[in-house]
Amino acid sequence: MNVIISASELAGELAGGDPPVLLDVRWQLSTPAATGRPPFDGRAAYLSGHLPGAVFVDLDRELAAPSAGRGRHPLPDPEEFGAAMRRAGVSAGRPVVVYDGGLGWGAARAWWLLRWTGHPDVRVLDGGLSSWDGPLETSVPQPDEGDFAPVPAAAGLLDADGAAALARSGLLLDARTGERYRGEVEPIDRVGGHIPGAVSAPTTENVGPDGRLLPAGELSARFRALGASADTPVGVYCGSGVSAAHEVLALAVAGVPAALYVGSWSEWSSDPERPVAVGPDPR
């Protein structure tokens, strides 16, 4: 099954008799800034113009639970997540397309959660809103209640111990920037560096200048060069399980299944008992 959809393909489906549910997941990482700029407001961006019929989904409130020491974006309660998706009109038998402002991280988090909890047909708009040249609307739709009931999968999810083990026995990819991986800068978390054994693989290198994912062949070559193979289990982490979801999406396009460590560096680094590696060498 395809995991991404182009803007032209989406326009065709929206014009058909059975259009997909559209979820707008605009989100940006907000860090303390000396300028005092307010944090990004995804809902305000949505209200200023969104794809026709799209429903806004709040990543921080509906695609994550309160932190409580489990990383900045721990998994949401399944019942609360299911209720949020049903309010948005999500049903098990109807396709879903998710998009964001163009970076792809917020949309990928929604894609991963829906797929991991059992929805059979979820795709990400490749390139996000910036790839769309059709009309936008500002009215807020009131969709019919959906019937989606999430059933979390047994596989596809890593905890801290599982990530540590995978870094030794398989391939654990760090989707953050190289500077954060090496520990040269750390704007958010307690310490800089990476999980020992993890390989640097910034998710920003999975997209082209237009914000769209690279072709499947190029992504496959990239991940092979990083150590992915048919018999190597792969996992991904980032700062808080958002940009890493986008790397899981890119791996899926390349035909490589991968698990997600949702707690990611924000959880790992908060525990002083966990080892930290710095520099360009994985270990």
Side-chain angles (χ1 to χ4, degrees):
M1 180 185 297
N2 289 335
V3 297
I4 57 174
I5 184 172
S6 69
S8 60
E9 290 170 331
L10 177 58
E13 292 193 10
L14 292 176
D18 187 22
V21 174
L22 281 179
L23 303 181
D24 183 311
V25 198
R26 269 178 273 187
W27 175 88
Q28 290 181 15
L29 178 65
S30 295
T31 58
T35 61
R37 291 190 304 270
F40 176 78
D41 188 337
R43 185 176 294 276
Y46 165 82
L47 292 173
S48 70
H50 53 84
L51 268 63
V55 176
F56 178 70
V57 173
D58 190 314
L59 187 150
D60 290 314
R61 293 177 174 83
E62 296 174 311
L63 304 183
S67 177
R70 296 174 295 149
R72 285 189 302 279
H73 292 105
L75 289 176
D77 175 82
E79 291 188 7
E80 294 181 7
F81 172 65
M85 293 299 98
R86 290 190 293 274
R87 287 195 300 271
V90 175
S91 291
R94 187 177 174 191
V96 177
V97 172
V98 293
Y99 72 91
D100 57 25
L103 194 60
W105 296 2
R109 172 74 175 215
W111 166 84
W112 183 86
L113 268 171
L114 282 165
R115 291 294 299 272
W116 180 68
T117 55
H119 198 288
D121 190 350
V122 190
R123 290 164 293 171
V124 171
L125 174 59
D126 196 18
L129 186 65
S130 60
S131 71
W132 179 258
D133 58 6
L136 300 177
E137 66 180 24
T138 56
S139 60
V140 178
Q142 300 297 322
D144 293 336
E145 183 90 358
D147 65 13
F148 178 65
V151 180
L157 179 68
L158 295 171
D159 60 12
D161 289 339
L166 188 61
R168 296 189 297 268
S169 64
L171 177 64
L172 182 65
L173 299 176
D174 185 318
R176 299 172 301 157
T177 64
E179 292 83 359
R180 291 185 70 190
Y181 170 88
R182 294 188 295 270
E184 297 166 359
V185 298
E186 182 43 65
I188 308 171
D189 295 312
R190 186 180 66 86
V191 295
H194 58 269
I195 296 173
V199 174
S200 180
T203 198
T204 52
E205 296 180 14
N206 295 322
V207 298
D210 59 1
R212 294 176 174 84
L213 284 165
L214 298 175
E218 293 183 29
L219 289 172
S220 179
R222 180 188 187 217
F223 292 124
R224 283 199 307 272
L226 291 169
S229 66
D231 56 355
T232 301
V234 178
V236 189
Y237 75 96
C238 58
S240 64
V242 178
S243 66
H246 192 261
E247 184 128 297
V248 174
L249 176 74
L251 283 154
V253 171
V256 180
L260 177 65
Y261 173 26
V262 173
S264 284
W265 188 248
S266 58
E267 178 186 52
W268 181 279
S269 64
S270 69
D271 182 353
E273 299 299 317
R274 295 280 178 187
V276 171
V278 295
D281 189 287
R283 300 193 183 280

